[in-house]
Amino acid sequence: MPTIVLANPKGGCGKSTTALILGQILAREVPTAIIDADPNQPISTWAAAGCSPDNLMVIRNQSVETLLDEIDEASDTHKFVIVDLEGVASRALSYAVTRAHLTIIPMQKSRPDADMAGKAIRAIRIEEKARRARIPFAIAFTKTRVVAESKTAQRIATDVRSTGLDIVGVELHQRDAFAAIFDLGCTLFALDPKRVNNIDAAINNAEMFTGDLVTRFMKTVRSAAA
Ligand SMILES: Nc1ncnc2c1ncn2[C@@H]1O[C@H](COP(=O)(O)OP(=O)(O)OP(=O)(O)O)[C@@H](O)[C@H]1O
Ligand SMILES: [Mg+2]
């Protein structure tokens, strides 16, 4: 079953938030697992609040040695497996991308994020060479402004697009609701509109983003079957 890995050695670019958003949207339809492979365990901490829906299992990674087994076991019982990695270039990143049907490299439209996304891509290329196999990956712009994007952000996005790399068609916007799920320890669907702004717009953005990824998997399955 499809495994999605969130990888970027840049801290704070939105890996865990993207993982949790994807997990919450997918779990409304199908059994979904998130493997929390960040030693800081942000998603396990979120789940410990008791807010995780029945269809969403959060698995705390035990060690880099067990990561591949954990991914394989979760794939046997869940329709989607999402792996959230630590914000460093690690052995876990190298291992996890070899199991990924798609590695998402979240990045803000900033120069440090773009540089570190390049580092993630180089790590993927090395694994491709080692295994003589293609490892599919796509960049996802995260924490983007809904209006009035800065000139610098526009320039960086143009630079990234000019590389010809695959980029997820929907950006994850900077939204109060996306930060609030961690702060309040709940799902997007349980947020209180009195405490959080524009919840519906955030859910719509999360659904569009997830839909874009699901469409990619369907295309992959169709072309494999053709
Ligand atoms: N789309 C978003 N809208 C609003 N806030 C966001 C969004 N994405 C991330 N954030 C906030 O940015 C901060 C960093 O996000 P997150 O923890 O997801 O990054 P990360 O890449 O997982 O970081 P690390 O490498 O440290 O694990 C958090 O405070 C999170 O709430
Ligand atoms: Mg994280």
Side-chain angles (χ1 to χ4, degrees):
M1 289 299 133
T3 297
I4 304 169
V5 171
L6 283 302
N8 186 337
K10 169 80 167 54
C13 63
K15 294 177 291 295
S16 303
T17 305
T18 307
L20 191 51
I21 289 170
L22 281 171
Q24 292 185 8
I25 300 292
L26 290 167
R28 282 196 307 175
E29 305 292 335
V30 289
T32 300
I34 302 179
I35 298 179
D36 184 355
D38 180 345
N40 295 316
Q41 313 230 303
I43 299 186
S44 305
T45 305
W46 171 85
C51 50
S52 194
D54 290 346
N55 244 356
L56 182 61
M57 177 182 271
V58 176
I59 298 160
R60 188 181 289 199
N61 166 238
Q62 297 303 315
S63 73
V64 69
E65 282 79 20
T66 58
L67 181 58
L68 293 178
D69 290 335
E70 288 161 2
I71 295 173
D72 292 346
E73 278 164 31
S75 303
D76 287 342
T77 45
H78 294 82
K79 289 278 183 201
F80 283 92
V81 178
I82 299 162
V83 184
D84 181 35
L85 292 168
E86 189 183 5
V88 293
S90 63
R91 205 146 54 98
L93 188 157
S94 301
Y95 287 175
V97 298
T98 65
R99 283 294 193 276
H101 296 87
L102 183 63
T103 296
I104 299 288
I105 303 174
M107 63 165 281
Q108 299 170 83
K109 292 174 182 173
S110 78
R111 191 53 64 190
D113 278 45
D115 290 346
M116 293 303 262
K119 198 168 177 182
I121 292 166
R122 286 193 291 281
I124 291 172
R125 298 286 191 219
I126 289 169
E127 289 308 316
E128 286 185 322
K129 211 173 270 181
R131 281 152 213 279
R132 294 200 172 98
R134 203 175 75 81
I135 296 176
F137 68 89
I139 287 168
F141 288 125
T142 53
K143 298 166 90 168
T144 59
R145 293 187 61 154
V146 181
V147 289
E149 190 169 63
S150 72
K151 292 254 186 262
T152 301
Q154 288 175 23
R155 191 166 48 248
I156 289 165
T158 303
D159 284 356
V160 175
R161 289 194 182 98
S162 72
T163 61
L165 293 168
D166 193 6
I167 301 174
V168 179
V170 179
E171 302 182 358
L172 265 186
H173 295 138
Q174 176 94 35
R175 287 281 182 195
D176 189 18
F178 296 152
I181 49 176
F182 279 106
D183 182 38
L184 301 174
C186 62
T187 67
L188 284 170
F189 309 101
L191 291 171
D192 178 354
K194 290 198 199 82
R195 300 183 77 189
V196 180
N197 290 327
N198 294 321
I199 298 167
D200 287 348
I203 291 173
N204 184 51
N205 184 203
E207 287 174 342
M208 302 279 282
F209 181 83
T210 308
D212 187 295
L213 296 194
V214 171
T215 308
R216 282 161 184 266
F217 289 122
M218 281 161 48
K219 275 192 199 143
T220 308
V221 170
R222 262 192 238 115
S223 62

